[in-house]
Amino acid sequence: MSILISDRELAARIESGMRTVVLDARWTLAEPHGLESFRAGHIPTAVSVDLEDELSDHAASGLGRHPLPSDAAFTAAMRRWGIRTGDLVVVTDTTANLAAARAWWLLRHAGHEQVLLLDGGIDAWVAAGYPLETGDRTPEPGDATARFGAMPVIDIDEAAGFADDGVLLDARAAERYRGEVEPVDPKAGHIPGARSAPTSIALDADGRFLEPSALAARFAGLGVEPGAPVAAYCGSGVAAGHLVAALAIAGIDAALFPGSWSQWSNDPSREVATGSEPR
């Protein structure tokens, strides 16, 4: 199954009454919880997802800015969203799936197989002329259970040596990778051996994912070869999920380093590389 669904396909499912759980995972620095924008207009039947409170566990220390939630906490979130075992879930946002990919990855990691991203996000839905709803929505509780372990994950020690035998991709903006700017974390630069792969390389001008062949070509240009181990990180483990999704579209399995740069740069024992070269 593809990991993408078009606005036309989603609209057809909603209009026909086919059971579809739509999750609105919008998140920005200006509005990290996304609820105000959700209430102002969202895809019909959608439920608001809180990236900060439901897709992260801020009680965990030393694991970066957005540590992964526990199985129990994510089970509670899935059930609040109304997800039942076997449901088709569609996740979307207003940032070309940069936030939605976090929910997509976590649901897949939790063992829920039927999860899709709305290609182009809510912007594509609106551009196509489909309607929005306003206000809140509380669905009937679901029965899904999170059992993490379905998606590959690496920790900080594995990230340190990953580039020795595989390809470690950095999903942050190129200037952050090079160490020219660092607006959030205590050190500027990148994990030694990592290669710069900003999430923008996976998108077209309309915020839709490139075709699989085009994505495969771009990743090949970064040294990703068939069968070679691949892992991705970003600032805090959110945008890296978008890169994992793009790699999946290209037919490439990739691991996620959840702690990402926010964990690495806060550890004084970790070396930091700067400049445009991996090392």
Side-chain angles (χ1 to χ4, degrees), residues 164-217:
D164 294 341
D165 299 303
V167 179
L168 182 62
L169 300 177
D170 185 320
R172 297 173 301 156
E175 58 269 25
R176 288 185 71 189
Y177 170 87
R178 294 191 297 266
E180 296 167 1
V181 296
E182 182 45 66
V184 185
D185 294 310
K187 297 178 184 176
H190 59 267
I191 297 174
R195 304 183 185 195
S196 180
T199 52
S200 58
I201 69 169
L203 302 171
D204 66 15
D206 295 322
R208 298 178 187 269
F209 283 98
L210 299 175
E211 293 296 319
S213 58
L215 286 170

Side-chain angles (χ1 to χ4, degrees), residues 218-235:
R218 292 204 171 182
F219 289 126
L222 292 169
V224 177
E225 300 177 353
V230 184
Y233 76 94
C234 56

Side-chain angles (χ1 to χ4, degrees), residues 62-65 154-163 168 170 172 185-194 233-237 257-273 279:
L63 297 176
R65 285 195 309 280
I154 62 171
D155 61 21
I156 192 169
D157 291 327
E158 292 169 310
F162 198 90
L168 182 62
D170 185 320
R172 297 173 301 156
D185 294 310
K187 297 178 184 176
H190 59 267
I191 297 174
Y233 76 94
C234 56
S236 64
F257 172 28
S260 287
W261 187 247
S262 58
Q263 181 183 12
W264 185 277
S265 63
N266 275 282
D267 185 340
S269 71
R270 303 293 174 176
E271 294 184 7
V272 172
R279 298 187 187 276

Side-chain angles (χ1 to χ4, degrees), residues 32-277:
H33 299 283
L35 190 55
E36 183 177 345
S37 294
F38 173 84
R39 288 169 173 163
H42 55 265
I43 293 173
T45 75
V47 179
S48 179
V49 171
D50 192 316
L51 186 146
E52 294 291 340
D53 293 342
E54 295 179 307
L55 305 184
S56 310
D57 179 7
H58 293 292
S61 62
L63 297 176
R65 285 195 309 280
H66 290 105
L68 301 183
S70 67
D71 296 52
F74 197 64
T75 292
M78 292 173 70
R79 293 180 178 183
R80 184 188 76 77
W81 302 332
I83 299 176
R84 302 176 192 166
T85 302
D87 275 347
L88 177 69
V89 180
V90 176
V91 194
T92 188
D93 62 20
T94 55
T95 50
N97 283 311
L98 286 174
R102 168 75 167 204
W104 167 83
W105 187 89
L106 277 168
L107 285 163
R108 292 293 307 275
H109 190 43
H112 197 89
E113 296 182 354
Q114 297 196 78
V115 191
L116 303 177
L117 292 166
L118 176 60
D119 200 15
I122 296 171
D123 290 343
W125 177 272
V126 172
Y130 295 115
L132 296 176
E133 288 183 344
T134 59
D136 290 314
R137 183 170 183 276
T138 303
E140 180 180 342
D143 64 3
T145 299
R147 298 180 178 87
F148 287 143
M151 297 289 276
V153 177
I154 62 171
D155 61 21
I156 192 169
D157 291 327
E158 292 169 310
F162 198 90
D164 294 341
D165 299 303
V167 179
L168 182 62
L169 300 177
D170 185 320
R172 297 173 301 156
E175 58 269 25
R176 288 185 71 189
Y177 170 87
R178 294 191 297 266
E180 296 167 1
V181 296
E182 182 45 66
V184 185
D185 294 310
K187 297 178 184 176
H190 59 267
I191 297 174
R195 304 183 185 195
S196 180
T199 52
S200 58
I201 69 169
L203 302 171
D204 66 15
D206 295 322
R208 298 178 187 269
F209 283 98
L210 299 175
E211 293 296 319
S213 58
L215 286 170
R218 292 204 171 182
F219 289 126
L222 292 169
V224 177
E225 300 177 353
V230 184
Y233 76 94
C234 56
S236 64
V238 174
H242 187 276
L243 204 56
V244 172
L247 285 156
I249 294 169
I252 301 164
D253 293 329
L256 178 75
F257 172 28
S260 287
W261 187 247
S262 58
Q263 181 183 12
W264 185 277
S265 63
N266 275 282
D267 185 340
S269 71
R270 303 293 174 176
E271 294 184 7
V272 172
T274 56
S276 58
E277 296 300 318

